[in-house]
Amino acid sequence: MHAGEPGPHGGDQIVARLDGVRRAIARAAEESGRPASAVTLVCVSKTFGAEEIRPVLAAGQRVFGENRVQEACAKWPELRRDYPGVELHLIGPLQSNKAREAVALFDVIQTLDRPSLAAALAREIARSGRRPRLFVQVNTGEEPQKAGVSPAGADAFIAACRDEFGLQIEGLTCIPPVADPPSPHFALLRKIAERNGLSQLSMGMSGDFEQAIMLGATHVRVGSAIFGARA
């Protein structure tokens, strides 16, 4: 049995961990002076199969994050038929040539980071009439291997998304460098959001979501703390 695969009672363990994460979110929200309902748990189901996701759906979770368009296309249509009301977030890099599939499948796209993708999404939104909510990804650590617009370029890119491409930007997302303390990155993202009139902040993952909530996160992306380690 590989890591992350539920064994006997695996579903029970997953649901117990989900409950623990929900309680931790509620505590952190309360400490930051907000109701628990102000923070959306995006349950990161990338690489996990339908059999691992079903117990989480049965426990009432309805917001999920996937990294790849193809993987999400393969497993979510059937799950959505069985569990209405699912909200699906794309949290991995998006190629412009996958914009049509992404707009058709996802309710939120968190990884808008370049003009070519903004143009592709604008064309597809106009063509299909479907309007996924959009977050701009900021590469707060300016890591060359990581997607995202630079902090210095974020204001101009958000303005271009709005003015040139006619896109409604709802929020920002970031993934701090693994070696850095995350809090300064969360604080930077919040500052960029505030000066651009954006109310939504997707920041914080399994290891640091409580810090992110203290610094204003409205969405936290949690996978391994719920499903266990990936293979």
Side-chain angles (χ1 to χ4, degrees):
M1 186 165 65
H2 65 70
E5 182 180 336
H9 313 301
D12 294 344
Q13 289 171 359
I14 290 169
V15 170
R17 289 193 292 261
L18 171 68
D19 286 342
V21 168
R22 284 171 166 167
R23 285 196 299 273
I25 288 170
R27 270 197 308 274
E30 196 174 305
E31 283 173 31
S32 69
R34 293 185 291 160
S37 59
V39 183
T40 297
L41 168 60
V42 181
C43 186
V44 178
S45 48
K46 65 177 188 181
T47 78
F48 293 101
E51 71 285 354
E52 289 143 318
I53 298 168
R54 283 180 185 277
V56 182
L57 283 159
Q61 177 66 22
R62 286 295 179 272
V63 184
F64 291 84
E66 289 283 343
N67 251 35
R68 294 191 172 88
V69 174
Q70 294 310 110
E71 184 190 339
C73 283
K75 66 190 182 190
W76 278 101
E78 184 184 343
L79 288 170
R80 280 181 141 162
R81 277 197 299 274
D82 294 346
Y83 296 92
V86 164
E87 180 178 287
L88 212 50
H89 290 234
L90 179 64
I91 58 170
L94 177 59
Q95 295 169 290
S96 298
N97 64 2
K98 293 274 198 319
R100 179 169 290 198
E101 290 166 283
V103 168
L105 184 67
F106 289 95
D107 304 291
V108 183
I109 294 171
Q110 291 203 16
T111 49
L112 173 54
D113 66 348
R114 60 198 186 280
S116 59
L117 179 56
L121 289 171
R123 278 194 303 273
E124 193 46 41
I125 286 166
R127 188 198 69 82
S128 68
R130 191 170 147 73
R131 285 191 169 273
R133 289 150 49 209
L134 302 174
F135 286 56
V136 166
Q137 182 168 353
V138 182
N139 185 351
T140 54
E142 304 195 59
E143 297 173 276
Q145 79 283 10
K146 210 174 259 180
V149 64
S150 72
D155 294 1
F157 180 65
I158 292 163
C161 286
R162 289 167 166 165
D163 302 337
E164 286 177 45
F165 301 109
L167 296 173
Q168 290 180 326
I169 304 301
E170 186 165 298
L172 302 178
T173 186
C174 76
I175 304 170
V178 173
D180 285 10
S183 290
H185 294 272
F186 299 152
L188 173 61
L189 196 72
R190 180 179 182 168
K191 207 172 286 181
I192 296 168
E194 283 172 351
R195 69 172 180 253
N196 285 283
L198 298 170
S199 62
Q200 305 296 299
L201 287 169
S202 175
M203 55 190 196
M205 299 190 288
S206 286
D208 55 22
F209 67 85
E210 287 154 300
Q211 286 161 275
I213 291 168
M214 299 300 287
L215 285 161
T218 59
H219 295 70
V220 293
R221 307 179 304 274
V222 181
S224 56
I226 294 168
F227 289 107
R230 291 187 169 80

